[in-house]
Amino acid sequence: DTAVSQTPKYLVTQMGNDKSIKCEQNLGHDTMYWYKQDSKKFLKIMFSYNNKELIINETVPNRFSPKSPDKAHLNLHINSLELGDSAVYFCASSPPTELWGETQYFGPGTRLLVL
Amino acid sequence: LAKTTQPISMDSYEGQEVNITCSHNNIATNDYITWYQQFPSQGPRFIIQGYKTKVTNEVASLFIPADRKSSTLSLPRVSLSDTAVYYCLVVGAGSYQLTFGKGTKLSVIP
């Protein structure tokens, strides 16, 4: 009965590969997010999806593409992986309110290591 | 886009009250302030949110002065389990702007 889940938990891959990280929330939320947390622990938002529409895209490389098959899922696809993509990626969701970005519920994170 | 500044780290003894201040000098009229807590190897967890004056819940209090250029998260009587990184987040209501601070690593000492 996990609220926000991510798979896989760990991902080790070679440079140049393409990989996907899946996120699912069972909270009935309308908005979902992807964050990147680097080795210095800086937490930066990458994408936000509301009712399957991309709201923001914080100047991330176009090798990263979010895909939302339905309101409960927001997957992150990464093409041509680079060493600098190594980080922890967090998925989050928030309830439908007038305040976008309010009270976000985070997943456990996916630790990506690019060799 | 309101940027935030927090102390990098703080130490406190168990049982003491801890106050962590976040500066957000460029906060806009419609922005509101949220604080999150993050334990190692976990995702951030919502603590408290406010727009002005004081907000209190079962976990913490949030003090926001009239000019709203800063906010202070107050944790009463901390315990070892409060050792974590605390993030200040300014969210632009209606503008889809969202900025996390760099976080304050709080270490609670026995």
Side-chain angles (χ1 to χ4, degrees):
Chain A
D1 56 350
T2 304
V4 181
S5 60
Q6 296 178 226
T7 54
K9 188 174 182 179
Y10 299 96
L11 183 55
V12 181
T13 187
Q14 299 287 331
M15 267 197 315
N17 285 350
D18 303 336
K19 291 294 179 183
S20 295
I21 305 172
K22 296 184 177 181
C23 177
E24 177 181 2
Q25 55 94 6
N26 61 6
L27 299 167
H29 290 170
D30 276 356
T31 307
M32 296 182 71
Y33 313 79
W34 275 107
Y35 288 85
K36 178 181 180 181
Q37 188 168 44
D38 61 24
S39 57
K40 296 182 178 180
K41 304 301 182 184
F42 297 156
L43 194 58
K44 298 181 181 179
I45 190 167
M46 301 176 70
F47 302 103
S48 169
Y49 251 76
N50 183 313
N51 292 325
K52 302 172 73 170
E53 290 185 68
L54 181 64
I55 294 179
I56 64 171
N57 182 336
E58 287 287 318
T59 62
V60 299
N62 57 15
R63 298 182 294 104
F64 292 80
S65 57
K67 287 185 170 56
S68 180
D70 55 58
K71 195 172 74 169
H73 296 83
L74 183 64
N75 302 326
L76 182 65
H77 295 270
I78 315 171
N79 294 324
S80 302
L81 277 156
E82 301 177 357
L83 294 177
D85 298 333
S86 296
V88 182
Y89 292 84
F90 289 102
C91 175
S93 69
S94 62
T97 68
E98 293 182 0
L99 303 174
W100 174 87
E102 178 185 16
T103 318
Q104 297 178 50
Y105 293 77
F106 282 78
T110 294
R111 286 143 187 84
L112 171 65
L113 177 60
V114 182
L115 302 175
Chain B
L1 187 61
K3 292 187 178 180
T4 59
T5 304
Q6 305 173 231
I8 294 175
S9 63
M10 294 179 70
D11 294 335
S12 175
Y13 288 102
E14 271 190 297
Q16 289 188 332
E17 178 184 78
V18 171
N19 296 309
I20 305 174
T21 297
C22 177
S23 297
H24 27 80
N25 291 320
N26 298 322
I27 191 168
T29 302
N30 293 329
D31 291 345
Y32 56 98
I33 299 126
T34 310
W35 285 79
Y36 286 80
Q37 175 191 56
Q38 186 178 26
F39 296 112
S41 301
Q42 294 185 26
R45 183 176 72 98
F46 172 84
I47 302 175
I48 197 166
Q49 175 181 281
Y51 182 79
K52 61 180 179 181
T53 62
K54 177 183 175 182
V55 179
T56 297
N57 61 22
E58 64 277 7
V59 177
S61 294
L62 179 60
F63 299 91
I64 305 170
D67 65 8
R68 302 200 328 121
K69 293 186 176 183
S70 66
S71 58
T72 299
L73 173 72
S74 181
L75 304 172
R77 302 167 67 87
V78 294
S79 64
L80 295 177
S81 62
D82 292 318
T83 294
V85 177
Y86 292 83
Y87 290 96
C88 167
L89 173 64
V90 174
V91 183
S95 64
Y96 305 123
Q97 298 296 322
L98 192 155
T99 305
F100 266 89
K102 294 182 179 179
T104 297
K105 184 175 182 180
L106 172 66
S107 298
V108 180
I109 306 165

